[in-house]
Amino acid sequence: MAQERSFDRSLYLPEAVRAAVDAFAEHALIELSQREGAMVVVLRDAGSLDPALVLDELSNHVLFETIVRRRREDA
Amino acid sequence: MASDPSVASASRLGFTLEDSSISFDLDETVYPLDAVYGAGYLFLDRCFVFLSRPADRMVRVRLTAREAAAPALLDLLAGEFGNELLSQVTRLRLSTATARIREYYTAAALRAAATSPSIDDLLSELEAEELAEDPLEIMVPWEEKHGTESGEAASKKERG
């Protein structure tokens, strides 16, 4: 069963979400779409991995990428 | 920090507890987003950190433990996050308050570096100097100062 997580654009950079989805693409089947004010990640197939764990790890990666990219912009 | 009163909570801090996760809302006017990011960054290896917007100018932070965790442990996690958040806010305020003076000192240091002589300049200066006076006879070789015979005897004594 697909699980999704929504990343608010005011809190997460869209490019950070894309980067995280690309990074996790080899581990799971993930789709990325946009909703008003948010980027939505849909996890379709996590293989043998726990889907909740995959989403949690992906979310951390999105946050990491967002912070790093914002700091780079501020520097 | 605010908790959701509609959800039963066993959190000692009054936050919202769910299965191995704890959530609380932050007012962005009190805790700027950069402070939330700063604290979040430091917790990424300890737990899962997820941010959402329950309302305008509000940030909901959800911390999910990497393994099953009791309410007390989740409270501890959230409490430490709160402390770190405060530290980050203080750091941001100090940074803002001292920005101008830091810019001033940086500019002054750069100006001083631009006008100070280089090492090559200093060496050239030394070479150009004429050491006309040498009252302590530092430039005079030891053998010349003490004579050849005495110099040989002293050398033998040293080797012996």
Side-chain angles (χ1 to χ4, degrees):
Chain A
M1 190 173 160
Q3 293 188 26
E4 71 172 52
R5 192 159 291 181
S6 181
F7 295 91
D8 195 295
R9 281 171 176 263
S10 66
L11 298 170
Y12 296 95
L13 293 174
E15 52 266 40
V17 180
R18 283 189 211 103
V21 167
D22 286 345
F24 278 68
E26 63 181 276
H27 303 293
L29 184 61
I30 303 171
E31 288 174 8
L32 182 60
S33 62
Q34 297 186 44
R35 203 176 285 162
E36 190 182 332
M39 303 284 285
V40 181
V41 169
V42 179
L43 178 62
R44 295 267 175 221
D45 183 8
S48 58
L49 300 170
D50 176 6
L53 181 63
V54 172
L55 270 181
D56 283 337
E57 292 284 3
L58 186 143
S59 298
N60 263 17
H61 196 70
V62 177
L63 183 58
F64 170 80
E65 285 286 341
T66 297
I67 293 167
V68 163
R69 285 162 196 266
R70 279 183 61 126
R71 285 180 178 174
R72 217 178 281 155
E73 284 169 13
D74 292 342
Chain B
M1 289 184 175
S3 60
D4 182 353
S6 65
V7 178
S9 162
S11 165
R12 196 162 60 94
L13 297 171
F15 297 157
T16 304
L17 282 170
E18 290 173 86
D19 186 30
S20 291
S21 72
I22 186 165
S23 305
F24 45 88
D25 293 349
L26 304 172
D27 185 338
E28 223 177 310
T29 60
V30 177
Y31 300 98
L33 196 54
D34 279 340
V36 179
Y37 285 149
Y41 184 83
L42 294 172
F43 275 68
L44 286 175
D45 63 336
R46 294 179 60 179
C47 61
F48 301 115
V49 182
F50 183 68
L51 309 178
S52 57
R53 281 242 187 248
D56 193 31
R57 304 296 287 172
M58 296 295 289
V59 179
R60 178 164 294 161
V61 178
R62 186 180 75 213
L63 305 176
T64 304
R66 287 182 177 271
E67 292 171 2
L73 276 176
L74 292 171
D75 263 345
L76 181 66
L77 194 62
E80 288 178 358
F81 189 95
N83 282 355
E84 181 57 45
L85 199 53
L86 209 52
S87 174
Q88 293 288 330
V89 170
T90 306
R91 196 167 149 266
L92 274 173
R93 288 188 180 186
L94 276 171
S95 176
T96 306
T98 60
R100 283 191 71 181
I101 196 163
R102 281 185 285 112
E103 282 169 16
Y104 171 79
Y105 277 114
T106 305
L110 288 171
R111 268 198 308 274
T115 56
S116 64
S118 68
I119 291 178
D120 287 338
D121 292 337
L122 290 169
L123 285 172
S124 302
E125 220 177 280
L126 279 173
E127 282 169 8
E129 274 180 18
E130 287 181 9
L131 302 168
E133 291 182 23
D134 184 19
L136 298 178
E137 296 187 314
I138 291 168
M139 296 294 288
V140 178
W142 191 88
E143 291 78 9
E144 203 178 297
K145 206 187 293 186
H146 296 282
T148 309
E149 280 184 26
S150 309
E152 281 178 358
S155 299
K156 280 181 186 170
K157 195 177 173 184
E158 271 180 50
R159 282 196 298 271

